[in-house]
Amino acid sequence: MTTENLLRVLSAIAAVVLGSGGIVVLFFVANWLVDRLPRNVRPRLLPLVYLAPAVLLLFIYLVVPSLRTFYLSFFDARSRNFVGLANYIFAFTDRGMLIAFRNNILWLVLVTGISVGLGLIIAVLVDRVKYEPLAKALIFLPMAISFVGASVIWRFIYAYNPPDVAQIGLLNAIVVSLGFEPVGWLVNRTVNNLALITIMIWLQTGFAMVLLSAAVKGIPKDVIEAARIDGANELQIFRRITVPMISSTIVVVATTIIVAVLKVFDIVFVMTGGLLDTDVIASRMIREMFNFRHFGRGSAIAVILLLAVVPVMLTNIKRFRQQEATR
Amino acid sequence: MDRLEKALSSAPVHIAVIGIAVLWTIPTAGLLISSFRYREALTQTGWWTVFQEPLNFAQFHLGNYVDVLTSQGMGQAFLNSLVISIPATIIPLFIATLAAYALAWMQFPGRQLLFVSMVALLVVPLQMTLIPVLRTYNLLGLAGTFLGVWLAHAAYGLPLGIYLIRNYIGSLPADLIEAAAVDGASHLKIFTRVVLPLSVPAIASFAVFQFLWVWNDLLVALVYLGGNQNVAPVTLVLRNLVGDRGQDWHLLTAGAFVSMFVPLLVFFALQRYFVRGLLAGSVKG
C-alpha cells in the first residue's frame, strides 16, 4: 500500500517535471539552432523562435476550432449533412432553449445587479472600519473556491428533510423554526433558479467589492471634505460624488460579471444537471454535446454564446484601455 | 460626548459590515464544521448543534477525510490536480513571457497587429472550441491524457498572459534594454538576465491567476478527460461524488474541503498578486 502510494507521488512529480521542463528545453534548442545560422539571417528568425509557440497554440486551440464550430453549426448531429439554419431555428424556438434563455436573463439581471450593488455598498462602508482587511478577506474568500466546491457548500445549506425529521440544512432549519413547512429549494420550480443564482451572487460579490473598493480609495479626500463642509449628508455624497467618480470601474465590474454569468455552467451542472427548468445557455450546450450527442445544435448554441459575449467583452476591453491610458 | 456621538453614528456601519462578513462566512464555516462530525450526527442534527457543547471535542474526528481520500479516490485526484495545474501554469507562463518579450522589444513587421489579435482572442468563449478540439483529441488519442489538458489550458490562458506580461515588460525603461544591447548582449541574455528578474510581479500575478483558474476548472477537465477516473482532478471527482453519493454528507463535506485546501492556501499567501491578476483578468474568458 505505501509503496504504491510512493509510486503514485513519484510518477506525479515526474509528470510535472516533464510537462513543465519540456517547453523550456524546446526553446533553448531552437535558440541554439538559430545561433548556428549565418549572422545576417539571425535577427529575422529570432522573433519566430520567441513567438512561434504562442502563435501555434492560439491557432490550434482557439482560432481554427472556433471557425470549425461555426461551420459545424450548419450541419446535423453527426456533422454529415448540411441543414442550413435548422440548428439556429431550433435554438430560438425549442421550449427547453427558451427556458434556458429566460433563466439566463434572470441570472444576468439578478447576479449583476445584486453583486455590483452589494459590492459597492460594502466597499463604501468597509472604508470606515478598523478591521477592514479582515472583513474584506472574508467576503472575498469565495473567489478562491471552485464553482463545484461552492455548489457543495450550498447544497448543504439547501438540504431538505421531510417535516417530521430534524432539518440539517440551515435554510430549512430557519424556515421550520419560524413555523413554516420545509421547502425543497432545488426541486421546487418557483425557487430553484433563485437558489442557484444565490450561489453566483455569493461568489461574485467579493470580486466586485475588491475592485470597487480600490476605486473608492482613489477618490481624492479633499473633494469629499469640501462636500461635507458644504453641508452634504453621507447619502448625497454617495450618490453625487462617489458613484459618478467611480462609474468607469462600475462598468468594468458589471461587464466582467455579465460575461462570467453568460458562461456559467458548473453550478447548474453540479446542482441540478439542468433538470427541472434550471438550464442556462452554457449548461444546455454541454448537454447537447454529451447527453444528446447533437454536435450541430451544440455548435449553434456555442456560436450564440459567442455573439452574446463579444459586444460585452469589447466594451470592457475598450474601457480597460482607456483606464490604462489615464493611469 | 463627541466620542459617544461618533460611536452611535457609526454603529449601523459596524453592524452592516460585521453582518455581511458573518453571512458570507457561515456557508463555508458550516461545511468545515460538518466535515469533522461523525456520519450519524451529521444526518440527524444540524451542524449548529455543536455549539451546545462547544468544548466537547469528542464530537469531532478526522475519519471523513481518511475515508474520502482513500476509498473515494480523492487522494489520487488531489495528486492529479497538482499534476494538471503546475505544468498548465508553467507552460503558458513561459510561452507568454517569451512572446511578450518579442512583442515588446524585438523589431519585426506587424508587431502591433499581432499583439492586438492575440489579445482579441480573449473574447472567444471556451465553448466555441470544445467540440472540434475534442474530436481531434479522439483521433490523436490525446483525450484523457495529461498532455492534452496541459496544452489546452496553456492555450486558453495565453491571451490573458500575453496581455498582462507584455504591458508590464513594455513599461520597463528602454535605456536598460538598449544599454545591454550596446554591450553586445544577445536577446537571450537580455531576456534571461535583465527582463525576467524585473518582470517578477507581472509573472507572479499571472501565475496565481492561472493556477487558481486551472485548479478550479471543471469544464476543460470534464470535456477532455471525460470519464477517465485515473487522471480526474478534484473538481471532477467531487462532482461525481455529488452525482453518486448525493446524500452522503460526511463524504461531500470532507471532499469539498480537500478540493478547496490548495486554492485557499494560495489565496491567503498570495492574495495581493491574485487581486492584481484579477484586475487585469477581469477581461479573461
Side-chain angles (χ1 to χ4, degrees):
Chain A
M1 185 69 210
T2 45
T3 43
E4 194 187 327
N5 281 341
L6 191 68
L7 270 178
R8 277 182 179 176
V9 174
L10 283 177
S11 62
I13 292 171
V16 168
V17 172
L18 275 176
S20 314
I23 181 72
V24 180
V25 170
L26 268 178
F27 166 71
F28 280 102
V29 168
N31 227 315
W32 181 84
L33 283 176
V34 170
D35 265 350
R36 293 284 150 286
L37 292 168
R39 275 198 170 279
N40 52 359
V41 193
R42 250 185 258 170
R44 254 177 287 163
L45 276 180
L46 211 51
L48 258 182
V49 174
Y50 281 74
L51 284 161
V55 172
L56 273 177
L57 271 183
L58 290 173
F59 231 84
I60 296 170
Y61 281 92
L62 283 162
V63 180
V64 176
S66 297
L67 296 173
R68 181 122 188 97
T69 295
F70 184 68
Y71 174 81
L72 291 177
S73 69
F74 299 103
F75 283 79
D76 64 359
R78 295 257 162 268
S79 308
R80 288 206 188 101
N81 308 308
F82 181 80
V83 292
L85 290 172
N87 293 321
Y88 291 92
I89 292 167
F90 163 85
F92 289 111
T93 53
D94 175 70
R95 186 183 160 273
M97 278 302 296
L98 292 178
I99 288 172
F101 279 119
R102 181 206 69 187
N103 290 342
N104 237 145
I105 290 168
L106 195 66
W107 277 76
L108 281 174
V109 173
L110 291 176
V111 175
T112 314
I114 298 175
S115 296
V116 175
L118 255 180
L120 183 59
I121 293 167
I122 301 167
V124 171
L125 291 182
V126 91
D127 208 19
R128 308 169 183 207
V129 295
K130 285 201 183 65
Y131 42 87
E132 177 182 14
L134 177 67
K136 267 169 121 174
L138 287 176
I139 298 168
F140 188 48
L141 187 74
M143 261 327 272
I145 296 172
S146 65
F147 283 38
V148 188
S151 298
V152 173
I153 290 176
W154 284 86
R155 254 181 81 95
F156 196 51
I157 299 257
Y158 294 139
Y160 169 88
N161 271 347
D164 50 334
V165 190
Q167 296 295 330
I168 59 163
L170 181 62
L171 208 52
N172 273 328
I174 294 170
V175 167
V176 169
S177 72
L178 293 173
F180 297 100
E181 290 279 292
V183 182
W185 300 103
L186 296 175
V187 291
N188 182 329
R189 281 169 208 244
T190 47
V191 293
N192 57 10
N193 278 306
L194 296 177
L196 300 189
I197 288 169
T198 305
I199 304 175
M200 189 79 172
I201 292 172
W202 181 71
L203 284 165
Q204 295 291 333
T205 300
F207 163 73
M209 172 205 67
V210 166
L211 264 68
L212 293 168
S213 171
V216 167
K217 288 193 190 315
I219 298 174
K221 286 273 178 286
D222 47 3
V223 178
I224 307 260
E225 283 308 312
R228 278 213 182 99
I229 291 165
D230 289 342
N233 65 28
E234 296 302 311
L235 204 63
Q236 284 171 318
I237 289 176
F238 178 75
R239 273 186 40 205
R240 301 276 167 80
I241 296 172
T242 310
V243 173
M245 281 192 98
I246 61 170
S247 61
S248 70
T249 310
I250 295 178
V251 173
V252 169
V253 171
T255 47
T256 306
I257 293 177
I258 288 173
V259 171
V261 170
L262 277 171
K263 291 196 268 188
V264 75
F265 111 99
D266 335 39
I267 295 177
V268 175
F269 191 72
V270 175
M271 295 293 270
T272 59
L275 302 171
L276 305 162
D277 295 351
T278 54
D279 247 339
V280 288
I281 301 171
S283 67
R284 179 70 195 208
M285 187 234 150
I286 298 293
R287 292 215 304 165
E288 287 291 350
M289 218 176 135
F290 288 115
N291 300 13
F292 315 136
R293 295 254 156 222
H294 199 305
F295 290 105
R297 284 176 186 172
S299 300
I301 296 170
V303 173
I304 292 167
L305 204 59
L306 175 76
L307 294 177
V309 168
V310 165
V312 183
M313 286 292 240
L314 289 181
T315 10
N316 205 356
I317 291 172
K318 219 162 82 185
R319 280 269 173 183
F320 203 76
R321 291 185 62 162
Q322 283 170 356
Q323 272 201 329
E324 291 276 291
T326 55
R327 228 175 247 169
Chain B
M1 194 64 221
D2 213 25
R3 249 204 197 154
L4 184 70
E5 253 176 48
K6 220 176 176 170
L8 280 178
S9 70
S10 66
V13 173
H14 288 293
I15 291 167
V17 171
I18 294 171
I20 293 172
V22 167
L23 198 65
W24 246 244
T25 315
I26 282 179
T28 320
L31 199 78
L32 183 62
I33 292 168
S34 301
S35 68
F36 294 109
R37 296 181 75 207
Y38 284 93
R39 187 177 175 170
E40 300 72 34
L42 246 176
T43 49
Q44 282 158 14
T45 55
W47 56 266
W48 48 92
T49 53
V50 299
F51 295 114
Q52 288 167 357
E53 14 178 4
L55 294 176
N56 173 13
F57 290 110
Q59 58 189 340
F60 300 118
H61 74 142
L62 288 171
N64 301 338
Y65 284 90
V66 175
D67 205 359
V68 85
L69 283 170
T70 50
S71 66
Q72 300 300 326
M74 211 61 178
Q76 179 64 42
F78 187 82
L79 278 183
N80 292 341
S81 271
L82 282 174
V83 172
I84 290 169
S85 304
I86 296 171
T89 305
I90 292 176
I91 296 171
L93 198 65
F94 186 71
I95 294 178
T97 313
L98 282 183
Y101 174 75
L103 290 166
W105 296 109
M106 283 183 176
Q107 298 302 330
F108 59 91
R111 205 170 63 151
Q112 236 12 42
L113 181 70
L114 188 61
F115 175 58
V116 172
S117 11
M118 280 177 164
V119 176
L121 289 171
L122 277 169
V123 304
V124 177
L126 288 189
Q127 280 85 355
M128 271 302 276
T129 67
L130 298 176
I131 293 172
V133 174
L134 180 62
R135 283 186 168 181
T136 314
Y137 271 19
N138 284 334
L139 281 179
L140 300 176
L142 276 172
T145 65
F146 287 133
L147 182 65
V149 187
W150 289 338
L151 291 176
H153 270 306
Y156 295 145
L158 272 182
L160 176 72
I162 290 172
Y163 175 75
L164 257 175
I165 301 169
R166 152 75 183 76
N167 279 351
Y168 194 89
I169 291 182
S171 66
L172 294 174
D175 313 352
L176 259 181
I177 316 282
E178 278 154 16
V182 169
D183 288 344
S186 66
H187 269 299
L188 184 63
K189 257 217 169 69
I190 297 173
F191 175 70
T192 50
R193 301 282 161 82
V194 182
V195 172
L196 271 188
L198 287 173
S199 323
V200 168
I203 291 175
S205 44
F206 175 63
V208 171
F209 196 80
Q210 175 76 2
F211 181 85
L212 285 178
W213 172 269
V214 174
W215 183 281
N216 285 337
D217 154 82
L218 175 68
L219 184 60
V220 174
L222 179 79
V223 176
Y224 299 149
L225 292 177
N228 189 347
Q229 279 298 313
N230 304 324
V231 291
V234 280
T235 45
L236 204 50
V237 172
L238 186 60
R239 189 255 142 190
N240 294 340
L241 265 184
V242 173
D244 307 337
R245 320 280 301 261
Q247 291 311 310
D248 291 350
W249 288 112
H250 65 293
L251 295 176
L252 288 180
T253 51
F257 268 93
V258 170
S259 79
M260 286 181 221
F261 173 72
V262 170
L264 290 180
L265 206 68
V266 170
F267 174 81
F268 279 119
L270 304 162
Q271 200 180 344
R272 199 159 40 99
Y273 292 113
F274 179 53
V275 171
R276 199 182 299 154
L278 214 51
L279 282 164
S282 42
V283 283
K284 162 143 191 175

